Amino acid sequence: MAVTHADLAPSTKNSDLGSKTGAFLMVLSILLGLFCFILCLIAEATRSEVTWDKGKGIESQCKYSGSGKLPLLSSSGAFLALAMAMIVQHAYILIAVSKSDSLAEIGWDADSAFAKTLSWQAGFFFVATWVSFAVGEILLLIGLSVESGHLKNWSTPRPSCLIIPQGLFTSAGVSGLATVFLASGLYITVLRAETYFQERENTRREILEASVMYASPLTSPAERFNMRTVPNENPSSPRQDQNFHTLYHYLRAFDKNSSLV
């Protein structure tokens, strides 16, 4: 069975950016972001509202429309799903980048326009991801604190009621979606950078191997095929052997002529 170059190439590790594990984790984080968005929509639709009772001679009192358990559970699930998506994406990217030798060249190749572009893109995606994540989690924490404040005696009238403004959970869900997609953009940018530097390193290695091969001295075809080795002698050419035999025959003929005289 013939051995190809692909067989000799190193296999892709699970910690590499272009591995199947990386693609699976990115898809998983996006699904977690979608799950977070759906839970935020449920929390928005079931959030507690307030009704006011205005009686004569008494102060106005408010009552909650529900206990807030369902929006509390939905927002809690959305908070955890977004946190898990962020941890999965960034933990994997950090591990893959720390083990990549190709990405280490970005710091040594500061004059490259392509390296500068990738660095700016990666920096933008990194900062934008964390800002979006922070906004989404803060909004969810606000919703959690408000909805957990009237779990008991929610139907009892009270002089003041604290409620969540309309659209808060929806904004948190949109921030969660933006977080996972921005993190995916960061992953794609880092993967492009690694692929670029790997291709450049492979090209450099091929050029170096070709230069070493062609730099070695080569013998001419005449020297390869006209030279032969005689036992216990130095290599000699056929022309030298022909002269030697000619001189030998000449001496034999001279000995014959001398004996006749």
Side-chain angles (χ1 to χ4, degrees), residues 38-238:
I38 293 173
L39 290 178
C40 288
L41 292 181
I42 295 175
E44 180 68 27
T46 59
R47 67 185 180 86
S48 301
E49 296 181 356
V50 172
T51 57
W52 290 89
D53 295 331
K54 295 182 179 180
K56 295 181 180 180
I58 58 175
E59 296 181 354
S60 299
Q61 292 183 339
C62 60
K63 292 190 303 182
Y64 287 104
S65 60
S67 61
K69 291 182 179 180
L70 182 57
L72 178 62
L73 293 175
S74 300
S75 57
S76 300
F79 182 88
L80 294 176
L82 183 57
M84 288 177 59
M86 189 69 171
I87 292 173
V88 167
Q89 284 185 324
H90 278 263
Y92 177 76
I93 291 175
L94 289 176
I95 293 174
V97 169
S98 63
K99 293 185 178 181
S100 177
D101 296 332
S102 301
L103 294 176
E105 296 187 9
I106 295 181
W108 299 97
D109 197 10
D111 296 333
S112 175
F114 187 74
K116 290 181 180 179
T117 302
L118 290 177
S119 298
W120 278 105
Q121 290 180 357
F124 166 76
F125 282 118
F126 183 82
V127 174
T129 300
W130 278 102
V131 170
S132 180
F133 172 75
V135 170
E137 293 291 75
I138 290 172
L139 291 177
L140 288 173
L141 284 176
I142 293 174
L144 286 172
S145 61
V146 173
E147 292 294 344
S148 61
H150 55 275
L151 294 176
K152 298 180 179 180
N153 301 324
W154 58 272
S155 60
T156 303
R158 61 192 70 190
S160 63
C161 299
L162 183 63
I163 59 173
I164 298 171
Q166 185 177 2
L168 185 140
F169 286 120
T170 304
S171 301
V174 172
S175 298
L177 276 181
T179 299
V180 294
F181 283 114
L182 288 171
S184 299
L186 175 63
Y187 170 78
I188 293 173
T189 302
V190 176
L191 182 61
R192 284 180 57 201
E194 186 184 45
T195 303
Y196 169 75
F197 285 106
Q198 281 182 351
E199 291 178 353
R200 197 177 68 170
E201 182 64 25
N202 293 335
T203 304
R204 184 187 305 170
R205 187 180 298 109
E206 291 176 359
I207 294 174
L208 181 61
E209 291 176 355
S211 62
V212 170
M213 183 179 65
Y214 286 107
S216 59
L218 297 177
T219 57
S220 62
E223 293 177 349
R224 288 200 302 268
F225 295 106
N226 292 337
M227 298 295 292
R228 65 187 182 87
T229 304
V230 180
N232 299 326
E233 295 291 340
N234 293 327
S236 59
S237 62

